[in-house]
């Protein structure tokens, strides 16, 4: 069974072993790069199937301070979402994103919306978020290091 939990020291080594396909590296980076210099406003999380760590992501609580498009507050940003390259194709990506709304509502009371950006050259990731209910705003974020990004969001009601 798939579930989400905050990153804890006992699973840190497993998180650092996660990898992404070379074609996705420019969009996400390595978990080591992500965790180095992580601001206090970002809380790292793991995606687990049973006891096995299959993915990782950040919830950014200062997202609206960094991104003008994140207007509806209180909100959070979903960042650095990845499923281990060895675990891809099993549906974990969509399943975990579908778990996210209930998880956020239960752990972080008052959050009304989740925002994210996804690179325009990464249609598989965009499709994953859409399957889980995220809506494309129709606007692009142009400040990404790897090119233009779709702005997507999910209401938590």
């Amino acid at each position: 069974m798939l579930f989400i939990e905050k990153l804890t020291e006992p699973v840190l080594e497993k998180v650092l072993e996660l990898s992404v396909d070379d074609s996705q590296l420019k969009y996400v980076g390595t978990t080591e790069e992500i965790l180095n210099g992580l601001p206090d406003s970002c809380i790292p999380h793991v995606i687990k199937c049973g006891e096995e760590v299959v993915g990782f992501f950040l919830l950014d609580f200062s997202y609206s301070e960094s991104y003008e498009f994140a207007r509806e507050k209180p909100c959070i940003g979903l960042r650095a979402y990845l499923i281990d390259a060895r675990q891809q194709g099993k549906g974990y990506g969509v399943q975990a994103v579908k778990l996210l709304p209930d998880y956020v509502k239960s752990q972080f009371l008052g959050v009304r919306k989740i925002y994210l950006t996804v690179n325009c050259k990464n249609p598989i990731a965009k499709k994953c978020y859409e399957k889980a209910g995220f809506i494309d705003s129709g606007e692009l974020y142009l400040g990404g290091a790897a090119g233009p990004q779709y702005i997507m969001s999910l209401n938590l009601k």
Side-chain angles (χ1 to χ4, degrees), residues 32-95:
E32 185 175 2
E33 291 169 340
I34 295 164
L35 291 170
N36 281 337
L38 191 65
D40 291 340
S41 63
C42 288
I43 300 174
H45 286 77
V46 294
I47 302 163
K48 293 176 87 176
C49 184
E51 289 302 308
E52 186 173 8
V53 175
V54 299
F56 172 84
F57 62 90
L58 302 174
L59 292 179
D60 183 350
F61 288 84
S62 67
Y63 203 75
S64 63
E65 295 169 23
S66 302
Y67 299 97
E68 189 176 293
F69 60 80
R71 298 176 194 106
E72 191 169 331
K73 301 173 188 175
C75 68
I76 57 172
L78 175 61
R79 303 178 72 154
Y81 186 84
L82 69 90
I83 299 297
D84 185 71
R86 297 163 293 223
Q87 302 296 332
Q88 291 189 2
K90 298 178 182 180
Y92 293 154
V94 174
Q95 287 177 46

Side-chain angles (χ1 to χ4, degrees), residues 69 71 115 135-141 149-153:
F69 60 80
R71 298 176 194 106
Y115 286 95
I135 305 295
D136 183 344
S137 71
E139 300 175 43
L140 293 178
Y141 173 67
Q149 299 174 25
Y150 298 107
I151 299 169
M152 303 182 78
S153 64

